[in-house]
């Protein structure tokens, strides 16, 4: 039977400094997850599972390398985290899996339900593709050879969740152990055969094939499915005009003397990836309608329709349009007036408000969709009399960064005149400016890609 790798998030050295993760309520994410992980390991070993606990002093990259260097066929890997929000009412458990992988999603559901059966007081935040995260992908889910999942056990910033982690740790660990046991047995059922040895190049016939569709046309060659992920021949990747030869983050393998590339990794190269489980067909779309040179330029025009914006928002938050039914119309109108790409502004709104859930410190009644500060430095941020004025203020603030053109309408952004005009024409240049997050712009672009994929524009 395969082995189980389990990693407790944070605690290692990142850029020469120990990373504690979230620090809340007199404790740290690293401490709580290490204590929980240790109980999970003890429980699984008592059930005769072979468990490898990732050393706590490794960085995130070193963790991936450590697991990959030891992975054998049939192994699985889990990393446990907590989440944290500025809004202390947000709570619950979630499990993330690599996007477009129905098998991994089912495994995530198994893990999630196992924990909730042991600890029903934890709200269920569901299983989520890693594309739903801030950066649009999770290295732990994508860069490991073994099937991998990432669990957010609870929300450390919520007092109830924190109490559960610290006072029901045994039950939490038992739930995680139950899920890992089921997952491991499902991936590699007990058999009388010897423990498999590492085989980077599998023997012929061990991988099932899948059909490939490119831009609506059937491709002559088939792909393969490995651990629930579709892989395509490298020649096809070259035909798509994508160069992955020097990218260490793209997963490859050699099978029957042909190099294959994991299809989902092509999403970062503006290739839309979709999977039809019924027909076992991988669909790739490369004919993006978005000019690459304009993709991340703040000044410009959007490409989506009002309906496409609304459908994207609703797909990520079913209740999003209850309070703001005209939000898409407002972004299209206000962005077009000032010459600001409303798709970018809309994506920023999705990031700042968590798709209008307002999980952070800003309240819905503030109509502050861009996390704008007030001129007086109010800790709650700026407030606006209507949704339209709130959108307008965000658009104006983006224009302040994007160029030196005058505003078309009267200024409503309280901090417009404090910005060095034109200092950040590209989304990535908002990093550390609009927000302290050094990956702030990357997170906006990750949402923008998802928007364009959902609209069929890339």
């Amino acid at each position: 039977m395969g082995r189980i790798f389990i990693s407790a998030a944070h605690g290692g050295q990142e850029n020469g400094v120990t990373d504690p993760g979230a620090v809340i309520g007199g404790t740290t994410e690293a401490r709580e997850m290490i204590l929980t992980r240790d109980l999970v390991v003890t429980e699984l070993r008592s059930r005769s599972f072979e468990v490898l606990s990732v050393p706590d002093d490794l960085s995130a990259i070193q963790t991936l390398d450590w697991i990959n260097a030891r992975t054998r066929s049939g192994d699985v890997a889990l990393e446990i985290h907590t989440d944290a929000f500025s809004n202390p009412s947000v709570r619950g458990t979630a499990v993330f899996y690599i996007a477009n992988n129905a098998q991994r999603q089912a495994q995530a559901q198994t893990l999630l339900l196992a924990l909730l059966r042991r600890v029903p007081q934890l709200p269920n935040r569901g299983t989520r593709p890693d594309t739903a995260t801030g950066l649009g992908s999770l290295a732990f889910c994508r860069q490991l050879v073994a099937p991998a999942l990432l669990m957010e056990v609870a929300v450390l910033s919520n007092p109830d969740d924190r109490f559960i982690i610290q006072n029901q740790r045994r039950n939490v660990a038992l739930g995680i152990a139950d899920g890992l046991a089921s997952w491991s047995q499902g991936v590699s059922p007990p058999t009388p055969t010897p423990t498999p040895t590492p085989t980077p190049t599998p023997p012929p016939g061990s991988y099932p094939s899948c059909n490939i569709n490119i831009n609506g046309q059937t491709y002559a060659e088939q792909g393969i499915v490995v651990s629930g992920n579709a892989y395509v021949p490298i020649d096809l990747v070259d035909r798509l005009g994508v160069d992955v030869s020097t990218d260490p983050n793209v997963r490859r393998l050699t099978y029957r003397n042909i190099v294959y590339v994991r299809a989902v990794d092509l999403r970062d190269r503006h290739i839309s990836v979709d999977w039809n489980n019924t027909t076992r067909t991988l669909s790739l779309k490369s004919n993006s309608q978005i000019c690459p040179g304009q993709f991340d330029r703040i000044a410009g025009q959007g490409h989506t329709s009002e309906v496409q914006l609304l459908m994207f928002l609703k797909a990520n938050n079913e209740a999003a349009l209850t309070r703001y039914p005209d939000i898409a119309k407002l972004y299209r109108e206000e962005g077009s007036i000032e010459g600001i790409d409303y798709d970018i502004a809309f994506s920023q709104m999705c990031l700042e408000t968590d798709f209008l859930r307002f999980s952070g410190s800003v309240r819905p009644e503030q109509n502050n969709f861009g996390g704008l500060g007030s001129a007086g430095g109010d800790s709650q941020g700026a407030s606006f009399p209507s949704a339209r004025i709130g959108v307008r203020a965000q658009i104006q603030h983006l224009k302040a960064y994007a160029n030196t053109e005058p505003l078309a309408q009267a200024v409503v952004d309280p901090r417009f005149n404090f910005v060095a005009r034109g200092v950040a024409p590209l989304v990535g240049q908002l990093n550390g400016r609009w927000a302290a997050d050094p990956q702030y712009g990357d997170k906006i672009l990750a949402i923008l890609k998802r928007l364009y994929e959902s609209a069929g524009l890339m």
Side-chain angles (χ1 to χ4, degrees):
M1 186 164 59
R3 302 165 306 169
I4 298 172
F5 290 87
I6 183 165
S7 169
H10 307 288
Q13 295 289 309
E14 301 289 350
N15 300 317
V17 179
T18 300
D19 173 23
V23 181
I24 296 170
T27 189
T28 68
E29 179 181 5
R31 179 181 185 277
E32 299 302 333
M33 290 302 94
I34 289 170
L35 291 172
T36 303
R37 187 273 321 279
D38 289 347
L39 287 179
V40 175
V41 170
T42 300
E43 176 62 25
L44 286 170
R45 287 176 178 166
S46 74
R47 303 183 193 183
S48 300
F49 285 90
E50 186 177 355
V51 184
L52 285 78
S53 179
V54 178
D56 297 321
D57 58 350
L58 299 183
S59 68
I61 294 176
Q62 290 170 334
T63 293
L64 301 177
D65 292 341
W66 191 91
I67 296 174
N68 280 335
R70 292 161 175 79
T71 297
R72 304 189 310 217
S73 176
D75 293 346
V76 299
L78 173 70
E79 184 162 84
I80 56 173
H81 290 243
T82 63
D83 209 339
F85 295 91
S86 56
N87 182 351
S89 66
V90 180
R91 58 181 305 218
T93 302
V95 181
F96 290 87
Y97 59 91
I98 189 169
N100 299 308
N101 189 322
Q103 181 184 49
R104 198 76 72 249
Q105 183 180 13
Q107 294 161 347
Q109 184 74 359
T110 296
L111 201 65
L112 179 65
L113 294 179
L115 173 57
L116 297 179
R117 277 193 293 270
R118 291 279 189 173
V119 193
Q121 303 94 324
L122 281 171
N124 184 349
R125 294 171 58 209
T127 59
R128 303 182 182 184
D130 69 336
T131 50
T133 59
L135 289 175
S137 65
L138 290 172
F140 194 87
C141 293
R142 291 178 180 248
Q143 295 181 25
L144 290 181
V145 175
L149 297 171
L150 187 148
M151 170 181 275
E152 290 182 348
V153 178
V155 178
L156 196 63
S157 53
N158 178 270
D160 294 331
D161 277 16
R162 191 164 65 248
F163 180 87
I164 289 172
I165 292 173
Q166 295 176 335
N167 293 276
Q168 298 186 44
R169 196 183 309 277
R170 171 70 175 165
N171 287 336
V172 170
L174 287 173
I176 296 173
D178 291 344
L180 282 169
S182 297
W183 180 20
S184 178
Q185 290 169 337
V187 169
S188 179
T191 66
T193 57
T195 302
T197 56
T199 52
T201 304
S206 63
Y207 290 150
S209 62
C210 66
N211 302 312
I212 302 175
N213 186 291
I214 304 177
N215 297 328
Q217 301 295 319
T218 301
Y219 189 64
E221 196 171 9
Q222 288 190 312
I224 58 176
V225 179
V226 182
S227 298
N229 286 296
Y231 282 68
V232 298
I234 188 65
D235 296 334
L236 168 57
V237 178
D238 292 335
R239 284 176 176 269
L240 292 172
V242 175
D243 181 10
V244 298
S245 59
T246 60
D247 190 340
N249 296 322
V250 174
R251 181 66 59 195
R252 305 172 182 79
L253 59 82
T254 300
Y255 179 60
R256 295 181 177 177
N257 298 320
I258 298 174
V259 176
Y260 287 82
V261 173
R262 189 166 58 180
V264 73
D265 294 337
L266 301 178
R267 292 186 71 255
D268 295 333
R269 305 305 183 95
H270 306 305
I271 302 295
S272 175
V273 180
D274 193 24
W275 172 258
N276 186 315
N277 198 46
T278 303
T279 61
R280 293 185 59 79
T281 299
L282 175 73
S283 296
L284 305 175
K285 188 175 182 181
S286 64
N287 57 338
S288 173
Q289 300 177 32
I290 312 301
C291 177
Q294 299 298 316
F295 179 78
D296 60 347
R297 187 165 292 278
I298 297 172
Q301 293 298 315
H303 298 83
T304 58
S305 68
E306 183 177 329
V307 171
Q308 288 168 334
L309 290 175
L310 290 174
M311 293 300 292
F312 177 70
L313 185 57
K314 188 175 181 180
N316 286 278
N317 179 12
E318 184 70 26
L321 304 180
T322 302
R323 189 182 184 101
Y324 301 106
D326 299 324
I327 194 72
K329 177 182 178 182
L330 297 181
Y331 273 94
R332 281 171 55 84
E333 291 178 353
E334 295 295 328
S336 298
I337 289 171
E338 294 293 353
I340 294 300
D341 189 324
Y342 57 78
D343 292 332
I344 289 175
F346 190 86
S347 298
Q348 183 185 35
M349 176 275 293
C350 292
L351 174 63
E352 286 283 353
T353 68
D354 189 17
F355 293 91
L356 293 181
R357 293 184 183 90
F358 291 94
S359 302
S361 60
V362 175
R363 302 181 303 275
E365 57 269 23
Q366 291 179 253
N367 294 309
N368 184 346
F369 306 105
L372 297 176
S374 65
D378 189 324
S379 61
Q380 296 298 320
S383 295
F384 303 98
S386 68
R388 179 177 290 278
I389 299 302
V391 172
R392 184 176 300 171
Q394 179 193 351
I395 294 291
Q396 290 181 349
H397 207 63
L398 282 169
K399 187 169 184 175
Y401 278 112
N403 56 41
T404 58
E405 296 295 321
L407 290 175
Q409 302 185 91
V411 63
V412 295
D413 168 22
R415 301 194 62 81
F416 181 84
N417 294 319
F418 294 105
V419 176
R421 296 295 308 277
V423 72
L426 304 179
V427 175
Q429 294 170 328
L430 297 177
N431 294 345
R433 287 192 169 98
W434 194 292
D437 187 350
Q439 296 179 313
Y440 181 75
D442 298 327
K443 292 177 180 179
I444 294 174
L445 292 176
I447 294 176
L448 183 63
K449 288 180 184 178
R450 290 166 53 197
L451 169 62
Y452 285 154
E453 285 186 356
S454 71
L457 298 176
M458 68 179 305

